Amino acid sequence: MVGSVGNGLMDLREQEKVEPLPREFDPGEIVHPKPPPETEEGVGGEEGSGKSREIVLGRNVHTMCFAIKEPEADDEVTGEREAYMASVLARYRRSLIDRTKHHLGYPYNLDFDYGALGQLQHFSINNLGDPFIESNYGVHSRQFEVGVLDWFARIWELEKNEYWGYITNCGTEGNLHGILVGREVFPDGILYASRESHYSIFKAARMYRMECVKVDTLVSGEIDCAHFKARLLHNMERPAIVNVNIGTTVKGAVDDLDLVIKTLEENGFKDRFYIHCDGALFGLMMPFVKRAPKVTFKKPIGSVSVSGHKFVGCPMPCGVQVTRLKHINVLSSNVEYLASRDATIMGSRNGHAPIFLWYTLNRKGYRGFQKEVKKCLRNAHYLKDRLKEAGISVMLNELSSTVVFERPKDEEFVRQWQLACEGNIAHVVVMPNVTADKLDTFLNELLRHRSCWYQEGSISPPCIAADIGEENCCCALHKR
């Protein structure tokens, strides 16, 4: 688990020939489900989307899972059984090497090396309860967790005696916690979120039985504050709990935090709102972009969450959630069983994750992250320019490393490169492990396939101006 997962994989590819994936690891097989039922607001329940594209689901894992083979009653662990397990793991490892090589669509930094932490994998490290108060369980890593939290609090300009937070198990947990704090601060509040917010925001609304108002977005994917104002004015009597995206899932758009705050304060909501900032990916990249607006607790926000396994890079999902200390008392309760208190979503929490984050923050520091952000943005612009030169519709938001382009016609190609798609568009998220050489390989394959899909220009590619703007569309109608 804690070996050289990133750089090590790069070395392994040079040292050993990667065998073709055996059938059980073949990502090409897909299942075409029945079309979803129509609703009053559009096909498949996507409110106002009007999209009719059938979602392509992957193969049921039961068709390729590894069954547990029970040993005979009088059977001890034998060399044959060990050899069987070793062969399964070896094949699985080869599949991971290949999947890492063709990974572009999801925002995970796969370039890391935690070999030095291998010495800790034999310990069951569990950070039960509140990070700032020890429990009776002594095998914990709170010392590392609080050190990491202090680092993030400094980045977001919140003093040590004014913040509370914890290392979450994923970005979704950070969003669930942020929205929960907002709901507890304003029990009768309405949740506002743009339509391009991560699905976990709407999951939180369902879990907490909150009224949720979806706000329109601009073509860029950024929240439309004119529509936000209109929706606020329909609910003047109730407080607002607002999710602000620091990089949307599909287009990498950054909501204008200052404009959201201005819209709230100028329309009668001063001191009657709670803002949660979902910074899953770009929340940790923005502090290192000079021209980027600040996400800071010097502004009237309530909480910020980021993912630890995305830009930072970790072998397991994790995240960071920080909120104002004054808000946390509404959630906190003393737990005698732990000899501590708890205000987290989960009880048991991965105690290894804070150590991985602590290790990387110490190793790279502010300058290291700044260097990696510059590399990501530079390579994202390189990809955008190459796609545009090839006559492919493409969009890249100013503060983003998420390159949005025309969806490939072949689902097998999509799965081979693990592209994230929505409707007529797909995207590549340029992370520190995505090099220009890797992008060139992808581009060459895309162009080769594309010449077949569109019969070397005799068939026109689709118009995606509605998704990325006319100025970015290279269809026959908008090509300049």
Side-chain angles (χ1 to χ4, degrees):
M1 178 181 73
V2 294
S4 181
V5 183
N7 292 331
L9 285 177
M10 306 305 120
D11 296 337
L12 285 167
R13 284 200 292 275
E14 297 175 359
Q15 295 171 7
E16 60 181 89
K17 182 179 178 182
V18 179
E19 298 179 12
L21 291 180
R23 175 174 171 76
E24 58 264 40
F25 295 112
D26 182 9
E29 287 201 22
I30 55 177
V31 175
H32 297 275
K34 295 180 180 179
E38 292 192 11
T39 69
E40 293 181 1
E41 295 178 320
V43 177
E46 288 293 324
E47 183 181 341
S49 66
K51 295 175 183 175
S52 58
R53 178 184 289 273
E54 183 177 292
I55 296 176
V56 180
L57 299 180
R59 187 169 41 153
N60 189 320
V61 176
H62 264 128
T63 65
M64 60 182 196
C65 73
F66 299 119
I68 304 298
K69 296 184 178 181
E70 291 290 333
E72 299 295 332
D74 58 349
D75 182 30
E76 297 181 359
V77 177
T78 64
E80 182 178 346
R81 181 170 293 275
E82 289 288 346
Y84 160 73
M85 291 187 290
S87 69
V88 170
L89 293 175
R91 283 186 295 143
Y92 176 61
R93 179 172 173 274
R94 290 196 296 271
S95 78
L96 293 179
I97 293 172
D98 181 83
R99 294 294 75 208
T100 298
K101 183 179 177 181
H102 293 90
H103 180 275
L104 282 179
Y106 294 86
Y108 307 137
N109 178 9
L110 304 182
D111 185 12
F112 52 79
D113 184 350
Y114 290 107
L117 303 184
Q119 59 188 312
L120 305 179
Q121 68 179 338
H122 300 294
F123 297 95
S124 178
I125 308 175
N126 191 334
N127 289 355
L128 294 157
D130 194 298
F132 301 92
I133 301 176
E134 281 193 305
S135 73
N136 284 339
Y137 185 73
V139 189
H140 63 79
S141 63
R142 284 177 171 81
Q143 314 94 311
F144 296 91
E145 183 172 22
V146 174
V148 170
L149 293 170
D150 282 349
W151 189 89
F152 278 93
R154 286 196 302 273
I155 287 286
W156 295 323
E157 300 183 305
L158 193 56
E159 297 298 324
K160 287 184 180 181
N161 62 345
E162 295 179 343
Y163 89 87
W164 185 91
Y166 72 105
I167 306 300
T168 62
N169 291 301
C170 60
T172 288
E173 186 181 349
N175 286 338
L176 292 176
H177 193 275
I179 300 303
L180 179 59
V181 173
R183 199 278 307 271
E184 293 299 292
V185 173
F186 294 113
D188 61 337
I190 294 176
L191 175 60
Y192 295 86
S194 83
R195 296 183 186 279
E196 299 202 26
S197 298
H198 190 260
Y199 69 87
S200 62
I201 301 300
F202 307 110
K203 179 190 289 189
R206 292 194 301 273
M207 289 176 65
Y208 305 146
R209 297 290 190 265
M210 297 173 68
E211 183 177 343
C212 181
V213 173
K214 292 184 179 180
V215 181
D216 291 343
T217 56
L218 307 176
V219 173
S220 66
E222 180 184 333
I223 190 170
D224 182 347
C225 280
H227 188 244
F228 178 46
K229 175 182 176 180
R231 302 309 293 262
L232 284 172
L233 294 178
H234 274 93
N235 301 285
M236 287 292 296
E237 73 285 356
R238 295 172 64 184
I241 301 165
V242 187
N243 177 70
V244 169
N245 295 303
I246 312 301
T248 57
T249 307
V250 176
K251 297 181 180 178
V254 176
D255 291 342
D256 189 332
L257 175 59
D258 294 332
L259 186 55
V260 168
I261 294 170
K262 182 179 179 182
T263 302
L264 287 160
E265 292 184 340
E266 289 184 352
N267 290 281
F269 285 83
K270 188 173 179 62
D271 300 324
R272 292 198 306 128
F273 65 84
Y274 179 97
I275 292 176
H276 170 67
C277 295
D278 176 10
L281 170 62
F282 210 63
L284 186 51
M285 297 176 72
M286 272 184 64
F288 308 105
V289 179
K290 289 182 179 179
R291 64 183 181 277
K294 269 193 171 185
V295 175
T296 169
F297 280 89
K298 291 187 181 301
K299 299 175 183 179
I301 62 175
S303 52
V304 183
S305 63
V306 298
S307 295
H309 57 289
K310 292 183 178 174
F311 182 72
V312 176
C314 270
M316 76 283 286
C318 59
V320 176
Q321 161 72 355
V322 169
T323 186
R324 295 181 187 274
L325 181 60
K326 66 180 182 181
H327 293 326
I328 209 61
N329 289 332
V330 298
L331 283 178
S332 185
S333 59
N334 294 329
V335 183
E336 184 179 2
Y337 167 73
L338 302 178
S340 181
R341 71 178 177 214
D342 192 18
T344 65
I345 297 289
M346 302 296 179
S348 291
R349 293 182 290 109
N350 188 333
H352 288 271
I355 304 174
F356 282 87
L357 293 175
W358 176 89
Y359 186 85
T360 298
L361 294 178
N362 273 287
R363 195 175 189 184
K364 295 182 178 179
Y366 188 98
R367 290 181 180 176
F369 284 121
Q370 188 174 51
K371 183 178 179 181
E372 290 195 335
V373 168
K374 287 181 179 179
K375 174 188 172 184
C376 291
L377 296 180
R378 182 174 62 250
N379 285 340
H381 280 275
Y382 171 75
L383 175 59
K384 183 204 74 171
D385 292 342
R386 285 286 312 274
L387 288 167
K388 189 175 181 180
E389 289 169 6
I392 300 175
S393 301
V394 59
M395 179 186 78
L396 174 61
N397 277 307
E398 181 185 5
L399 299 173
S400 179
S401 64
T402 300
V403 182
V404 183
F405 58 99
E406 164 200 309
R407 180 176 185 154
K409 290 178 68 67
D410 187 349
E411 291 299 328
E412 186 174 347
F413 179 85
V414 168
R415 289 182 181 275
Q416 171 69 5
W417 284 97
Q418 301 169 67
L419 302 178
C421 301
E422 184 176 88
N424 293 318
I425 58 177
H427 75 210
V428 164
V429 184
V430 180
M431 289 281 93
N433 63 291
V434 177
T435 63
D437 287 342
K438 186 173 186 178
L439 293 175
D440 283 338
T441 301
F442 165 73
L443 283 160
N444 292 336
E445 286 194 25
L446 175 62
L447 295 178
R448 187 175 70 252
H449 282 81
R450 202 168 178 270
S451 66
C452 297
W453 300 335
Y454 298 113
Q455 298 180 17
E456 297 185 350
S458 61
I459 298 176
S460 298
C463 174
I464 59 173
D467 296 293
I468 65 174
E470 293 183 5
E471 69 278 12
N472 297 310
C473 186
C474 293
C475 73
L477 179 63
H478 299 108
K479 190 173 182 179
R480 293 184 176 86

